[in-house]
Amino acid sequence: RPKAAKPAPAPPAPPRRSLGWRWPVQGKVVSRFKAGDPLRNGIKIAGRSGDAIRAAEGGKVVYGGSGLIGYGRLIIVKHNDKYLSAYGHNRSILVKEGDRVTKGQKIAEMGVANNGDAQLHFEIRRDGKPVDPLRLLPRP
């Protein structure tokens, strides 16, 4: 009987690149992350309504909408199997779910938060848990 062909070896996994975060918008940090406080899962950056919001790192848009209470118009970008970033209180969303975005790409325009101030709510999550973005972002 003929020998069964051996399956081809799996191609090597692509090298894991480290993420190189950038600020999503320039402005003053008006609220900082506080571990364990669900109202402070990220940072808030002040600006002007309409300021360009840019992807802090490349990835795939996995959510764009206003279905999560407290975030206004929200974008979530998945960067790899560990990290995602979230951008809340947008005046307009310029990407849609499934889009691939590059680091620095304009993805939204800043809107106003629940308190009426123009600002971006920005979160980084690792394995679904919020982490302090200021520990990952470059020093301003």
Side-chain angles (χ1 to χ4, degrees), residues 21 56 75-77 79 83-87 122-125:
W21 300 99
I75 298 170
I76 299 175
V77 177
H79 304 289
Y83 285 95
L84 60 80
S85 57
Y87 311 76
F122 178 67
E123 292 184 19
I124 296 176
R125 290 182 177 239

Side-chain angles (χ1 to χ4, degrees), residues 89-125:
H89 305 307
N90 298 294
R91 176 172 83 180
S92 62
I93 294 176
L94 306 175
V95 293
K96 62 185 183 313
E97 290 177 27
D99 284 354
R100 299 227 39 104
V101 297
T102 58
K103 180 165 73 172
Q105 178 180 337
K106 183 176 177 180
I107 59 174
E109 292 178 345
M110 184 180 287
V112 294
N114 301 335
N115 65 4
D117 293 339
Q119 59 186 224
L120 170 69
H121 174 82
F122 178 67
E123 292 184 19
I124 296 176
R125 290 182 177 239

Side-chain angles (χ1 to χ4, degrees), residues 3-44:
K3 287 186 176 182
K6 285 186 178 180
R16 291 181 68 100
R17 69 175 182 86
S18 61
L19 298 174
W21 300 99
R22 74 174 303 271
W23 285 84
V25 67
Q26 294 303 310
K28 181 180 179 186
V29 175
V30 294
S31 178
R32 293 179 170 267
F33 173 87
K34 184 172 182 192
D37 184 344
L39 298 177
R40 295 175 61 188
N41 281 338
I43 60 175
K44 291 185 179 18

Side-chain angles (χ1 to χ4, degrees), residues 43-92:
I43 60 175
K44 291 185 179 18
I45 306 168
R48 291 187 324 260
S49 185
D51 282 355
I53 304 301
R54 300 187 181 277
E57 180 52 274
K60 182 179 180 180
V61 178
V62 294
Y63 180 81
S66 53
L68 294 170
I69 295 170
Y71 290 94
R73 289 187 184 100
L74 174 69
I75 298 170
I76 299 175
V77 177
K78 183 174 182 175
H79 304 289
N80 58 27
D81 57 348
K82 294 263 182 210
Y83 285 95
L84 60 80
S85 57
Y87 311 76
H89 305 307
N90 298 294
R91 176 172 83 180
S92 62

